[in-house]
Amino acid sequence: MTHPDEEWDSIREHPPGILRLYLTQIIWLAALPAACTFYGTTQTGWSLPGSEQVVRLTESSAMVMSVLAWLAILAGVAVMGAFVQWMSETFGSKPTMAQSIAFSCYTAFPLFLAGLCGLAPSIWLAIVAGTIGASWSAWLLYSGLPVFMRIPKEQGFVYASSVLCIGLVVLVSLMITTVILWSMGAGPEYVQVL
């Protein structure tokens, strides 16, 4: 996170295998926001504006939503890695799938860390942490892609912008899937604490 240029070369030269990457890093990083949000929504709770009452989710509904969020993050990293690899030929680079997934995982690391704000559910904390995490990830993407793919910075800007657009499409797809799952009964169940 502090010396990304050197790390991108190291990751490119010695990427872990996909299975090892998932088992040793991605499943745990993806669990961070899911577990923190589960705890925050079931134990800490939040207050609605203008109200003193604390609102929490039932543990059963929060567990379903946390597991689904965890699976969505795991799938999102794989999808982004696949798109990074698929678009690479256009820009004259040929990373392996493992390299592409590793790049996607490490670029998203600040977003995983932003998931810590789930311990204390607050819309303002989520906005601040999400903005910082997204900005940091975008910086890693735009500064790291040319180094990782070994392409000129001008091409790297276009490539990174394409990856960012795909990321937004994946995010919107996950939001649509969430709405569909909520309408099928996997939505939140609230508990008010006096």
Side-chain angles (χ1 to χ4, degrees):
M1 300 307 292
T2 58
H3 301 91
D5 288 348
E6 296 88 24
E7 292 301 319
W8 289 130
D9 281 332
S10 174
I11 293 165
R12 172 136 181 141
E13 294 303 317
H14 310 290
I18 294 174
L19 185 61
R20 181 172 169 226
L21 184 64
Y22 263 88
L23 292 177
T24 61
Q25 295 176 28
I26 297 175
I27 62 170
W28 307 109
L29 289 171
L32 184 66
C36 289
T37 304
F38 172 81
Y39 178 84
T41 58
T42 59
Q43 304 303 312
T44 308
W46 66 93
S47 295
L48 299 174
S51 173
E52 299 278 328
Q53 288 185 326
V54 176
V55 178
R56 294 185 182 137
L57 294 181
T58 63
E59 288 191 9
S60 60
S61 72
M63 180 59 75
V64 168
M65 293 172 61
S66 294
V67 168
L68 290 174
W70 178 67
L71 293 173
I73 294 169
L74 294 176
V77 170
V79 167
M80 291 306 299
F83 274 109
V84 165
Q85 185 189 30
W86 176 68
M87 287 188 286
S88 66
E89 290 186 31
T90 304
F91 296 95
S93 183
K94 295 195 182 218
T96 65
M97 181 60 85
Q99 289 170 323
S100 300
I101 290 176
F103 180 80
S104 296
C105 172
Y106 299 138
T107 301
F109 184 73
L111 292 171
F112 295 137
L113 286 181
L116 287 170
C117 76
L119 291 171
S122 162
I123 188 70
W124 295 110
L125 179 61
I127 289 170
V128 169
T131 300
I132 291 169
S135 299
W136 197 353
S137 287
W139 176 75
L140 287 173
L141 174 66
Y142 278 93
S143 67
L145 197 63
V147 174
F148 186 75
M149 296 295 173
R150 297 184 179 137
I151 58 176
K153 287 191 183 244
E154 297 79 23
Q155 283 186 330
F157 180 80
V158 174
Y159 191 175
S161 297
S162 301
V163 170
L164 187 61
C165 287
I166 295 296
L168 292 173
V169 169
V170 169
L171 179 64
V172 169
S173 299
L174 288 174
M175 293 171 84
I176 291 169
T177 303
T178 300
V179 170
I180 291 169
L181 290 173
W182 281 22
S183 69
M184 294 171 60
E189 295 174 15
Y190 301 98
V191 175
Q192 291 188 353
V193 181
L194 297 174

